Amino acid sequence: MLKSLSIRNILLIEKAEISFSDGLNVFTGETGAGKSIVLDCLSFVLCQKTRDRFLRSSCDNGEVVAEFILNNSKEVLELLNQLSIPFKSSVIIRRVEFKDGRRKAYVNDINCTIETIQKLGTKMMEFVDQKDGSLVLKKKNHVRLLDDFSGNKTNLSSLNIAWENLKNKEKEITNIRNNQLILKQELDFVNHSLKELKKLNPQPGEIEDLELLKNSLRSSSKIKVNLQETLDLISSSEVRSRLIMALKKLEKVSELFPKNSLLDDTVLSLDGLIHDLDDIEKNLPILLEGTDTQEMTLEEVEDRLFNLRNIARKHGVMPEDLMTLNDELDNRLTEYNGIEEKIRELHSEQFSIEKEYKVTAKEISNKRRTGGKNLDQMMIKELAPLKMEGVKFTTLLEDKNEKGPNGYDRVTFQICNHGIEPKDLEKIASGGELSRILLALKVCLVTNTSGITLVFDEIDRGIGGATAEAVGNRLASLAKKEQLILVTHSPQVASKASRHWSVKKVMDKEKQPVTFLNLLDKTASKTEVARMISGEVVSKEALAAAQKLMD
């Protein structure tokens, strides 16, 4: 809901502060007074239409500030969050024009683009009689409007879920098919690689073991020579016999010099040394034999290392990761072999979802047909009092022959004027006829109110008497559900106002035209309605007629 509008140095308005009510807000005045300027200011601040210049003559800059109460409008709140614009209970949109032609726009004091303002504007205000601003005129909105009227909200929610699931399932099948093609191209390579790895049969920790063995084999000749020389030295009879002779002599000394602990220890040590020498003589031949019994030669070890590193380099992995590579390739092969079964499962799931989609879409189509007929009948009743007896409204449902989030139907609101071939609603010439058709349609659709402020510019153009009275009554009825802002020449319409302004144009000191807006109380409003009935001189009869219209 529009709470207020502040205008400074825009068009013919020097300064104006307007506070709106939540019902029918009406602007009246003499022809040429500038009544539509208020609507132009609304268009300017919401970036809905442009002209070469909005700035008042001889001013450096001018601005329009519009404050909207959010009223928990889900779409507006979501959009503000998407745009990262902070907000509380209201949105303040300000647009400035400078003398050099530059324009700037702000939402809650954050500089925003024209596109951002336009997105917000379409969620909060609808210029009903403007082809570029009316949501009802645009064919793309007709299906949503009919669904709201037909009570399709629950079914549509189910259909949207089925549609999203269907799209996701189709995407999943496409992805797995693409993956199948990639795997098929890799299949020969995977099989060949697995054969190579199976033949090579890499083992955990093998690289480290082979490196140690390689170093050992490279040193084996030196090891063997040293072991043999050691064995030769120790096995020499001279070494052993000398040690035995020395032991015997020490034993004789021990007999001659008994109970000498140091001597006794020395005898024992020498005896132990001879026994250790015996063990060494036994171990050295075994060690020598071990140097000749390695399972692999140095050449075989180096070939093995080369093959392991070569295949690792070929696949871009470390040699230590060859077993992991083998598992990955094996998994790829298993995945390929199981793809067809997976695709069959997905197609089965897709079939179930599509069946659910079709059932729900059919229910929605049936409701739309019923709702369309009801809407057509309601429009006949609404158009007749609006002096449009020869106009027939038709809700056209066509099969798109393709699935979509809204089902199979294409919905178009059409008008047949006195038997002429029906035309799409958006192709009707602008003017009073279009405004009245849209008013009737709004009245029919008002049971599913959107919370958007509706703006009408001279909806009573070209009508009067009972027709104007019918327009006023319908506007008053609509204003119970929606906030309305309109410019009118009709006393029948003005008399239904919740809040009423008179618009006057005067000349300032510099002989420049200036438009003033005056908020009228009940008495002043009655006088203004009477003026609209009788002209410049307000008679008692006109006042009585105005009172009767307002009662």
Side-chain angles (χ1 to χ4, degrees), residues 169-443:
K169 200 60 63 178
E170 288 172 353
K171 185 177 180 181
E172 194 175 351
I173 291 171
T174 299
N175 289 339
I176 202 169
R177 283 289 188 195
N178 292 336
N179 194 36
Q180 185 183 34
L181 290 174
I182 294 170
L183 285 171
K184 189 174 182 180
Q185 293 171 356
E186 295 178 354
L187 197 58
D188 290 341
F189 174 75
V190 170
N191 281 322
H192 178 71
S193 299
L194 282 170
K195 287 178 182 178
E196 281 187 324
L197 287 167
K198 186 175 181 180
K199 183 178 179 181
L200 197 60
N201 192 26
Q203 300 297 315
E206 184 178 4
I207 295 293
E208 185 179 355
D209 292 342
L210 287 173
E211 284 291 346
L212 291 172
L213 181 57
K214 182 182 72 171
N215 293 333
S216 174
L217 289 172
R218 283 179 175 175
S219 305
S220 62
S221 58
K222 292 181 181 179
I223 293 170
K224 188 173 183 180
V225 168
N226 284 297
L227 283 173
Q228 186 61 56
E229 289 178 353
T230 302
L231 180 60
D232 291 342
L233 287 170
I234 291 176
S235 300
S236 169
S237 58
E238 183 178 350
V239 173
R240 184 177 182 78
S241 61
R242 285 177 179 273
L243 287 173
I244 291 171
M245 286 176 62
L247 179 59
K248 288 180 178 179
K249 289 186 179 292
L250 280 175
E251 286 174 343
K252 287 180 180 181
V253 173
S254 179
E255 291 173 359
L256 297 172
F257 194 16
K259 297 182 180 180
N260 187 309
S261 59
L262 180 58
L263 180 58
D264 292 341
D265 289 341
T266 303
V267 171
L268 288 172
S269 296
L270 185 56
D271 186 55
L273 180 59
I274 293 170
H275 283 91
D276 288 341
L277 189 61
D278 290 339
D279 290 338
I280 292 170
E281 279 191 272
K282 291 177 184 177
N283 291 338
L284 284 172
I286 295 171
L287 290 169
L288 272 170
E289 185 179 350
T291 60
D292 295 326
T293 57
Q294 292 287 357
E295 294 181 2
M296 300 176 69
T297 65
L298 178 60
E299 184 179 358
E300 289 172 336
V301 171
E302 289 178 338
D303 284 347
R304 176 72 176 171
L305 282 169
F306 174 80
N307 290 332
L308 289 168
R309 285 171 175 154
N310 185 53
I311 196 170
R313 186 165 53 251
K314 178 180 175 181
H315 290 279
V317 299
M318 297 299 292
E320 295 82 0
D321 297 329
L322 284 174
M323 292 186 70
T324 303
L325 173 66
N326 184 82
D327 292 340
E328 290 175 355
L329 291 173
D330 198 46
N331 289 337
R332 293 284 278 174
L333 188 60
T334 302
E335 181 183 359
Y336 178 79
N337 292 333
I339 278 181
E340 285 300 332
E341 179 61 30
K342 178 65 175 175
I343 290 174
R344 282 193 291 272
E345 290 177 5
L346 290 174
H347 276 305
S348 177
E349 294 170 6
Q350 183 187 33
F351 178 79
S352 298
I353 296 170
E354 191 159 5
K355 185 177 179 181
E356 177 188 349
Y357 175 91
K358 287 179 178 178
V359 170
T360 308
K362 187 176 181 180
E363 291 176 0
I364 289 172
S365 292
N366 290 338
K367 275 194 167 186
R368 284 172 180 163
R369 288 189 186 91
T370 302
K373 290 177 182 178
N374 292 337
L375 180 59
D376 295 349
Q377 292 300 314
M378 288 181 68
M379 283 294 288
I380 289 173
K381 294 177 182 179
E382 286 295 327
L383 288 171
L386 298 178
K387 203 177 178 181
M388 302 189 77
E389 296 88 345
V391 176
K392 182 181 178 183
F393 178 91
T394 305
T395 304
L396 178 65
L397 263 73
E398 299 174 290
D399 191 341
K400 295 186 296 184
N401 295 317
E402 61 179 18
K403 295 186 290 289
N406 295 317
Y408 295 105
D409 302 320
R410 182 185 293 109
V411 178
T412 308
F413 294 154
Q414 292 187 324
I415 289 293
C416 176
N417 199 339
H418 294 87
I420 299 173
E421 184 179 352
K423 290 183 179 181
D424 292 354
L425 193 61
E426 60 186 350
K427 294 180 180 177
I428 299 173
S430 61
E433 182 185 63
L434 175 61
S435 295
R436 280 177 280 153
I437 291 171
L438 294 179
L439 172 60
L441 190 53
K442 280 291 182 181
V443 170

Side-chain angles (χ1 to χ4, degrees), residues 80 154 500:
L80 289 170
T154 302
H500 187 178

Side-chain angles (χ1 to χ4, degrees), residues 71 109 174:
N71 292 333
D109 290 328
T174 299

